[in-house]
Amino acid sequence: MLHRGRRSGHRLIAAPREIVRDAFRCLPSVEALVIAESAVVCNAVGLETLKQEFSGPRDWRIARLLETVRRTTASPLEVCARFHLLAAGFRPQEEVLLPGVGRVDFLIDGWLIVEIDGYAFHSGRTEYRKDRQRWNCSTSGGLVTLRVTAEMILHSPVSFIELVHRTCRTWNPLYPRLGPDAAGAGGLGPRTGP
């Protein structure tokens, strides 16, 4: 789909507010949310301006999505992960600073860390060592860490959410057991017998 804005002698021009508006009207919600949050983080458009833009009664879904926009999100991958976690009913804390561990992308229920690993920021020897040190510190402190790839977030969000659910079922005995197979689709889960 092609949207045309005002023309200048050199290029098409559209205000950031118009670009975000059109994104919410034409793209999947998660993609529009990435565009909106990027525009807010870069100060290209104000969050309150966007909320006014989508304040009509037919815009309730978009207004609800705008409530999740953060001014400090580090990456589009984190926006996507947050979108899928919230849609699945999780209430993740974002960019939490844990003593002895450092900043983590998401913390769920105070014990489950979800780290989104894009290759560009985790491919060097220094990053590799730092990640392992943080992982060991969190595990030795009683926290569980999931390291999720960018590919999973972008191309297999259902598998991402299933992984989080399965981890919660495995490590938290109070977590609701959903469906006929409480161990999950992959047959993984806590052992109940010998």
Side-chain angles (χ1 to χ4, degrees), residues 74 78 93-96 103-107 113-117 122 134:
E78 290 178 20
Q93 294 174 272
E94 298 173 64
E95 299 191 21
V96 178
R103 186 195 66 81
V104 298
D105 294 334
F106 298 100
L107 183 66
I113 296 169
V114 178
E115 290 279 45
I116 311 303
D117 290 344
H122 298 273
R134 293 179 54 206

Side-chain angles (χ1 to χ4, degrees), residues 142-177:
L143 303 174
V144 175
T145 300
L146 291 176
R147 302 191 70 86
V148 183
T149 64
E151 291 80 12
M152 180 178 261
I153 297 296
L154 296 175
H155 304 298
S156 191
V158 171
S159 295
F160 165 53
I161 294 302
E162 286 173 355
L163 175 65
V164 176
H165 278 300
R166 192 168 59 242
T167 303
C168 289
R169 285 192 302 270
T170 301
W171 292 94
N172 184 353
L174 301 178
Y175 191 77
R177 305 290 174 174

Side-chain angles (χ1 to χ4, degrees), residues 7-115:
R7 289 187 180 267
S8 75
H10 304 287
R11 59 190 167 137
L12 294 176
I13 300 172
R17 180 185 57 78
E18 294 170 356
I19 293 169
V20 173
R21 181 194 63 219
D22 290 345
F24 275 115
R25 299 282 189 231
C26 301
L27 295 174
S29 295
V30 67
E31 293 175 22
L33 189 60
V34 168
I35 291 170
E37 190 149 327
S38 294
V40 169
V41 169
C42 294
N43 293 316
V45 65
L47 183 55
E48 293 307 314
T49 300
L50 292 178
K51 287 180 179 180
Q52 281 184 313
E53 180 78 31
F54 297 105
S55 60
R58 298 176 75 192
D59 294 326
W60 66 271
R61 283 189 177 103
I62 297 170
R64 210 165 130 196
L65 285 173
L66 289 173
E67 291 299 323
T68 69
V69 170
R70 303 289 176 260
R71 290 181 172 89
T72 58
T73 299
S75 78
L77 286 173
E78 290 178 20
V79 176
C80 294
R82 180 195 333 122
F83 173 86
H84 296 303
L85 288 166
L86 290 172
F90 293 102
R91 296 293 169 245
Q93 294 174 272
E94 298 173 64
E95 299 191 21
V96 178
L97 184 61
L98 297 174
V101 176
R103 186 195 66 81
V104 298
D105 294 334
F106 298 100
L107 183 66
I108 299 173
D109 295 336
W111 64 271
L112 177 57
I113 296 169
V114 178
E115 290 279 45

